[in-house]
Amino acid sequence: VFNQAEQHIDQETLILTLFLLHERSKGIKSFWYPHIQVLPTTFSTPLFHKENYVESTSVYYLTETMRQSMSEVCDLINPKTFTLEDFLWAYTIIDSRGFKLTDFGTTLIPLADFANHVSFAQEASLCSKGVDKQTNRFILKTTDKKIQAGDELCLKYNNELANWQLLLYYGFAIENNPFDSILLEIKMDPNDTYEMEMKKNAFTKFKYVE
């Protein structure tokens, strides 16, 4: 199943998704019950609210592709204890709240996953220091930014994320996002190498592609 599903979802994410579903099914008997209880039950991502997004946009198309992929993975697993919607919930938890750590791969870290996103590191009130190899503990430290009582605690999630990426994976967008970009699909005749080269040069010149 894992080999067949790999074209749709990486093994780490799939294993964690299934583990989370299994632990949730155990209810109060699960060691992770307190953490699972405070996880969101719904999301604002397009995967759950496709009807709110305009057809023919990149986010709409990518959402369609993702949902179809997850549906195929679910069919491969042939679950008896959870539905496709349950699977999408667990997948979104892992995908939107997981930390990718060098020595541990994708990891869910209770409490650390409650921090929200900022575009620039200097705006963050928290920063990840990874895992201390001596204590085997994840280190999350405050930055030099002054924190007042009641302030929101924020991390810089990832590299420079465009709004379509933030929307697709996290369910929000940032006004005046300095890293914003759009996806353009340009049809080209593969037999016309001159046309392909001209269009590529034009987009590169105006920094539409790298």
Side-chain angles (χ1 to χ4, degrees):
V1 171
F2 286 109
N3 290 335
Q4 290 175 287
E6 202 163 19
Q7 61 179 311
H8 302 296
I9 181 173
D10 66 87
Q11 286 196 13
E12 276 187 356
T13 302
L14 179 54
I15 290 170
L16 278 173
T17 298
L18 295 176
F19 175 79
L20 180 57
L21 285 169
H22 175 67
E23 290 299 313
R24 189 178 71 162
S25 72
K26 290 160 65 174
I28 198 169
K29 294 180 180 179
S30 170
F31 174 81
W32 301 104
Y33 178 77
H35 182 227
I36 293 172
Q37 284 299 102
V38 295
L39 290 174
T41 56
T42 59
F43 293 93
S44 56
T45 60
L47 201 56
F48 290 84
H49 297 283
K50 187 184 67 174
E51 70 280 359
N52 293 341
Y53 299 90
V54 180
E55 289 189 40
S56 300
T57 60
S58 56
V59 169
Y60 189 92
Y61 169 75
L62 290 169
T63 300
E64 287 274 85
T65 304
M66 285 175 65
R67 193 174 181 90
Q68 180 60 37
S69 293
M70 294 304 102
S71 178
E72 290 179 21
V73 171
C74 218
D75 288 342
L76 284 171
I77 298 168
N78 191 24
K80 300 292 191 296
T81 58
F82 61 85
T83 65
L84 173 60
E85 295 305 312
D86 292 329
F87 185 81
L88 291 175
W89 169 81
Y91 166 77
T92 303
I93 289 287
I94 304 302
D95 198 47
S96 65
R97 305 174 79 87
F99 287 78
K100 296 188 182 299
L101 304 177
T102 303
D103 297 325
F104 294 86
T106 303
T107 311
L108 271 185
I109 304 174
L111 296 183
D113 63 349
F114 282 96
N116 286 324
H117 171 71
V118 287
S119 296
F120 298 102
Q122 61 266 30
E123 296 175 350
S125 47
L126 299 172
C127 63
S128 166
K129 295 297 182 181
V131 176
D132 185 311
K133 292 185 178 180
Q134 291 185 330
T135 63
N136 212 30
R137 291 185 175 183
F138 179 75
I139 306 297
L140 195 64
K141 289 189 173 182
T142 55
T143 63
D144 294 333
K145 184 179 179 181
K146 191 173 182 179
I147 303 172
Q148 302 288 347
D151 283 354
E152 182 180 36
L153 298 179
C154 296
L155 278 167
K156 185 175 183 297
Y157 279 1
N158 208 322
N159 295 324
E160 291 73 21
L161 296 173
N163 274 343
W164 68 266
Q165 293 170 304
L166 291 171
L167 193 60
L168 186 65
Y169 299 113
Y170 301 106
F172 66 88
I174 297 175
E175 189 175 0
N176 300 319
N177 184 350
F179 306 113
D180 206 8
S181 64
I182 59 173
L183 294 178
L184 293 177
E185 184 176 338
I186 306 297
K187 292 184 179 180
M188 297 184 184
D189 183 354
N191 298 316
D192 191 338
T193 55
Y194 176 76
E195 179 194 33
M196 290 180 68
E197 193 61 29
M198 288 293 289
K199 287 182 177 179
K200 181 180 177 181
N201 288 340
F203 275 83
T204 303
K205 179 180 178 181
F206 292 103
K207 298 182 180 180
Y208 289 120
V209 296
E210 294 181 353

